Amino acid sequence: MTIAHHSPPTGGTGRLTSPISAAAREILFDRDTAPAPDPVAAELGLISQVDRAHVVMLAERGIVDRNRAGELLAGIEDLRKQRFAPLHDVPAPRGRYLAYETHLIDTLGAEVGGILHSGRSRNDLNATVVRLRLREPHERLLAESDALGRALLDRARRWADVTMPAYTHHQPAVPITYGHYLAGVASALVRDVEGLWQAGAEIDQNPLGAGAVGGTSLPVDQHRTTALLGFATPIANSLHAVASRDLVLRQLSAATVLGVLLCRVAHDLQAWTSAEAGLLRLADDVVGSSSMMPQKRNPFLLEHVQGRALAPLGAFTASASAMATARFTNAIAVGTEAVAPAWSALEAATDAVVLLRLVVEGAEPVPERMYARAVDGQTAATYLAERLVDTGVPFRQAHHDVGAIAKEALAAGAPLHEVARARLGGQLEHALDPAEVAQHAAHGGGPARASVLAAVTEAETAYARIRTAAEDRRWRWSKADVGLDEAVRSLIEPRRTP
């Protein structure tokens, strides 16, 4: 035999016609080689945002001189434009914030730089920064979970009539549809998205003004800094404001619950894409080949879903353990050590959501194989028992009789419906086609098309409600950024007027 030789393609392997999707590649491969973000600019960018709001409020309340406030804000703006370059090589033995404040004092003078920390502590500053920093990962996890929900619901509508077995104990149970399964996952995901949204409520509470732990005697205005930073409300109790980082635990807890669902769905899809099952076919851009075995099509994204989805569980355990070591007051174990695991865990959870969405979008049911498994698995047996109940047979007797029919059919290698007709005769007026049986299951949220579409509509309404609330919150945050910029300019520009 002569085999034609071709140059290795750049877009795939001999078995696969396209490379992995760009979104999956970024998560799995490109991110590790991307330049690391500047840690100085990242930390001081958030700190200086709080500083801007704090100084504006101090000037408006008459706590500090407006001209000095304007000069200080100009110095902060200059550092922000330089992405804090002058501080990159400055020693920070007591943390970057104090190095940054010291730089402002050294460059602007004590009478200007020294007013920055009036009525404030690093304790309430850090508590505020944590909330600002949580906004982006919280919003991204919400948005990606919403995108997964929409992908599930779109395909639930598309495949509401594709019959397949539902499995219990890994065995065919009753006929459902692939659309019914996807709608069920989407409905469960709604609850998890709602949990994420509720866990994010504390992100919108402003701890600034709490000071070290007991507030301040200076007449600071928490409501003004709340508005300038885009928060919804100030925190009423100063002890709670600096002692608690429970919002981190709630974020991780909600992400853990989400991760459990992601893992369970990944297990299903992994089983259904196996060569033995063959119920689903995955697109080339969501599978991988083998470095050695050229025939392989590995659904490896699902293994990454399983590997990343429960990172929040480990982070929750670490964070809760750290917090439990401290008394209910400001503590490094709570404000620093317990918060540290959250960032990578929330990113991992978001990665798992994205990867599962890619698989869902790239999965096509194999209708003939799904239907055959529903037939071979005798999934119409329960429906047959219920039809006997309709004729007055007690359910337990019907259950026993149909079990005997199923056993006889298996022994004879015959379809369930043939043996049932021979045994029951005129008692069996209904067809035992799994596709028809699925459409008859219209009650209790079953797989009948109308029932599936009703569940889809209900889930779509819930997703839309949360999506709108999230959009409103993002608008508030964006509007606050604009308002803070204007307030800063109003204090800086009079100093520059000839």
Side-chain angles (χ1 to χ4, degrees):
M1 179 190 300
T2 301
I3 300 177
H5 296 281
H6 303 280
S7 299
T10 58
T13 68
R15 180 70 172 90
L16 304 179
T17 59
S18 64
I20 196 74
S21 75
R25 186 178 66 244
E26 189 280 326
I27 290 172
L28 301 179
F29 309 125
D30 295 349
R31 190 180 296 164
D32 289 341
T33 60
D38 179 358
V40 175
E43 180 179 349
L44 294 181
L46 291 174
I47 287 175
S48 63
Q49 184 74 343
V50 179
D51 287 349
R52 297 165 84 223
H54 183 64
V55 174
V56 166
M57 179 275 297
L58 291 176
E60 290 177 349
R61 293 284 287 175
I63 297 171
V64 301
D65 178 77
R66 291 181 67 90
N67 288 330
R68 290 177 179 173
E71 188 174 351
L72 176 55
L73 288 169
I76 293 172
E77 295 302 281
D78 184 56
L79 282 175
R80 286 168 64 90
K81 289 175 183 176
Q82 299 179 70
R83 294 189 58 77
F84 305 94
L87 294 167
H88 274 71
D89 298 320
V90 174
R94 296 178 59 204
R96 290 196 182 102
Y97 169 74
L98 290 179
Y100 152 78
E101 185 185 28
T102 299
H103 173 83
L104 290 172
I105 292 172
D106 290 344
T107 55
L108 301 176
E111 291 187 349
V112 174
I115 68 175
L116 175 60
H117 217 47
S118 304
R120 196 182 67 186
S121 166
R122 276 192 297 177
N123 299 354
D124 60 337
L125 170 62
N126 290 342
T128 308
V129 166
V130 164
R131 284 164 166 79
L132 295 183
R133 187 177 177 186
L134 271 172
R135 286 178 178 179
E136 192 277 333
H138 169 75
E139 279 287 297
R140 183 163 179 259
L141 182 53
L142 264 180
E144 294 295 353
S145 297
D146 177 72
L148 171 59
R150 281 181 285 165
L152 290 164
L153 293 172
D154 173 72
R155 284 149 184 82
R157 287 185 182 275
R158 186 184 309 174
W159 293 312
D161 297 318
V162 176
T163 305
M164 68 173 290
Y167 288 87
T168 62
H169 307 285
H170 299 277
Q171 305 301 316
V174 295
I176 60 169
T177 66
Y178 186 48
H180 181 252
Y181 174 83
L182 296 176
V185 175
S187 297
L189 182 63
V190 165
R191 304 289 87 78
D192 294 345
V193 172
E194 288 176 338
L196 288 170
W197 174 257
Q198 291 165 4
E202 288 178 88
I203 292 176
D204 255 353
Q205 297 175 349
N206 178 23
L208 197 60
V213 70
T216 174
S217 62
L218 294 175
V220 297
D221 185 350
Q222 286 181 284
H223 291 281
R224 180 57 172 153
T225 55
T226 292
L228 289 169
L229 293 171
F231 291 110
T233 58
I235 295 179
N237 183 277
S238 62
L239 176 59
H240 166 54
V242 299
S244 174
R245 298 295 188 278
D246 290 353
L247 78 163
V248 172
L249 293 183
R250 274 183 265 279
Q251 287 284 306
L252 294 173
S253 175
T256 297
V257 174
L258 168 64
V260 170
L261 174 64
L262 301 179
C263 283
R264 297 180 72 187
V265 175
H267 281 301
D268 282 342
L269 301 184
Q270 197 169 35
W272 298 345
T273 55
S274 70
E276 288 74 17
L279 304 183
L280 292 175
R281 184 182 296 114
L282 296 183
D284 279 1
D285 66 352
V286 291
V287 299
S289 184
S290 163
S291 64
M292 184 176 186
M293 298 166 283
Q295 85 283 9
K296 295 294 293 298
R297 297 182 83 257
N298 300 323
F300 75 112
L301 295 192
L302 293 171
E303 295 180 62
H304 284 288
V305 171
Q306 294 161 355
R308 299 186 184 216
L310 289 183
L313 175 58
F316 178 90
T317 302
S319 294
S321 299
M323 289 188 192
T325 66
R327 294 184 175 184
F328 191 69
T329 185
N330 180 73
I332 289 175
V334 175
T336 301
E337 298 300 331
V339 171
W343 315 114
S344 60
L346 292 174
E347 180 178 62
T350 305
D351 290 345
V353 172
V354 173
L355 294 174
L356 185 59
R357 173 178 57 79
L358 294 174
V359 174
V360 168
E361 291 174 343
E364 293 276 343
V366 184
E368 63 277 8
R369 179 62 177 164
M370 287 183 164
Y371 180 79
R373 289 303 301 132
V375 172
D376 295 343
Q378 299 183 326
T379 57
T382 301
Y383 178 77
L384 174 56
E386 291 177 343
R387 300 292 66 77
L388 294 179
V389 170
D390 282 344
T391 67
V393 178
F395 176 77
R396 192 51 59 198
Q397 182 63 48
H399 185 279
H400 180 275
D401 292 346
V402 173
I405 292 171
K407 182 178 179 181
E408 182 178 337
L410 286 172
L416 178 70
H417 68 272
E418 289 184 4
V419 177
R421 287 194 180 280
R423 287 279 300 273
L424 298 175
Q427 295 183 71
L428 183 59
E429 299 177 358
H430 298 270
L432 294 180
D433 174 26
E436 292 188 38
V437 170
Q439 293 308 313
H440 280 295
H443 308 287
R449 182 176 182 82
S451 176
V452 170
L453 296 183
V456 167
T457 300
E458 180 180 291
E460 285 174 337
T461 300
Y463 283 116
R465 183 181 67 251
I466 298 169
R467 193 181 310 130
T468 298
E471 290 170 354
D472 290 344
R473 185 172 63 180
R474 283 194 298 273
W475 168 248
R476 170 160 43 84
W477 290 345
S478 177
K479 186 177 179 182
D481 286 343
V482 173
L484 178 55
D485 288 344
E486 292 175 351
V488 168
R489 281 196 300 271
S490 71
L491 288 168
I492 292 176
E493 289 176 355
R495 299 175 51 259
R496 295 176 176 171
T497 302

